[in-house]
């Protein structure tokens, strides 16, 4: 569900960048980037069995 | 490089992103392999890479627009590196089919690193930031086509992800379109 919302938010941000005010597009971009980081951290819980 | 040439280069970059999103779609539809959560996040970050070029085409090239794409590419490289590390141990077959010897997430890592290098390279050309040749003029058909193509592919991804995950959390190893399964 969160991925559908992220794709939708990006489509809206693209339209804002193309037709709307610049600040709105950049604000939306910032929100989406933070949401992507949060989604990544949520899905990065599997332990990596690596040793260096 | 003039601002007009930079805008054309940004449009070419958008066509490149569109090709990448279309290739991921083709793999999904032709090979019947549904993208995993981390694969979806990498697609999302490729789509997010397009915001910078769209702003450059509309408002003229600015360092801040390139910075948006650089931040996205760094996050994308982190996500794809994580997935490569998940499957790096000997004996692990990886997730999904390989294309030309590499899995999708490995190609994604190469793509994000290439984006970082290309963005750094294009930032070297200061003259593109001097002025806008003809302020207020609308971008040409080539650039408009690139923008609408990327917007269209992102909208198709909204639909595809909704079909795949439905209204719940996406499966770790998806094998069916959840929304279609619920409907049947």
């Amino acid at each position: 569900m969160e991925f559908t919302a992220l794709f939708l938010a990006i489509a809206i941000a693209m339209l804002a960048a193309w037709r709307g005010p610049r600040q709105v597009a950049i604000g939306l971009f910032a929100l989406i980037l933070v949401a992507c980081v949060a989604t990544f951290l949520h899905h990065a819980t599997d332990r990596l069995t690596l040793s260096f | 490089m003039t601002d007009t040439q930079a805008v054309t280069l940004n449009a070419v970059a958008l066509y490149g992103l569109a090709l990448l999103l279309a290739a991921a779609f083709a793999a999904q539809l032709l090979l019947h392999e549904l993208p995993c959560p981390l694969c979806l996040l990498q697609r999302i970050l490729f789509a997010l890479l397009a915001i910078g070029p769209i702003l450059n085409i509309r408002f003229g090239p600015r360092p801040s627009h390139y910075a948006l794409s650089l931040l996205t590419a760094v996050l994308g490289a982190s996500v794809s590196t994580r997935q490569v590390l998940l499957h790096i141990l000997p004996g692990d077959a990886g997730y999904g089919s390989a294309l030309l010897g590499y899995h999708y997430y490995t190609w994604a890592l190469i793509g994000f690193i290439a984006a970082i290098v290309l963005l750094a390279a294009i930032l070297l050309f200061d003259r593109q930031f001097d002025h806008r040749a003809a302020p207020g003029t609308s971008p040409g058909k080539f650039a408009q086509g690139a923008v609408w193509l990327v917007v269209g592919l992102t909208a198709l991804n909204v639909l595809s992800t909704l079909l795949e995950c439905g209204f719940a959390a996406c499966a770790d190893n998806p094998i069916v379109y959840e929304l279609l399964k619920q409907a049947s």
Side-chain angles (χ1 to χ4, degrees), chain B residues 20-39:
Chain B
L20 210 145
L21 289 173
F25 246 136
Q28 177 180 339
L29 298 174
L30 298 176
L31 302 175
H32 305 291
E33 287 180 359
L34 297 185
C36 62
L38 280 179
C39 313

Side-chain angles (χ1 to χ4, degrees), chain A residues 1 18 20 22 29 46 49, chain B residues 58 62 64-65 82 89 168:
Chain A
M1 185 62 203
W18 190 233
R22 182 172 172 272
F29 170 88
D46 291 344
T49 51
Chain B
R58 168 120 187 262
R62 295 189 198 185
S64 56
H65 299 160
R82 160 121 196 134
L89 289 180

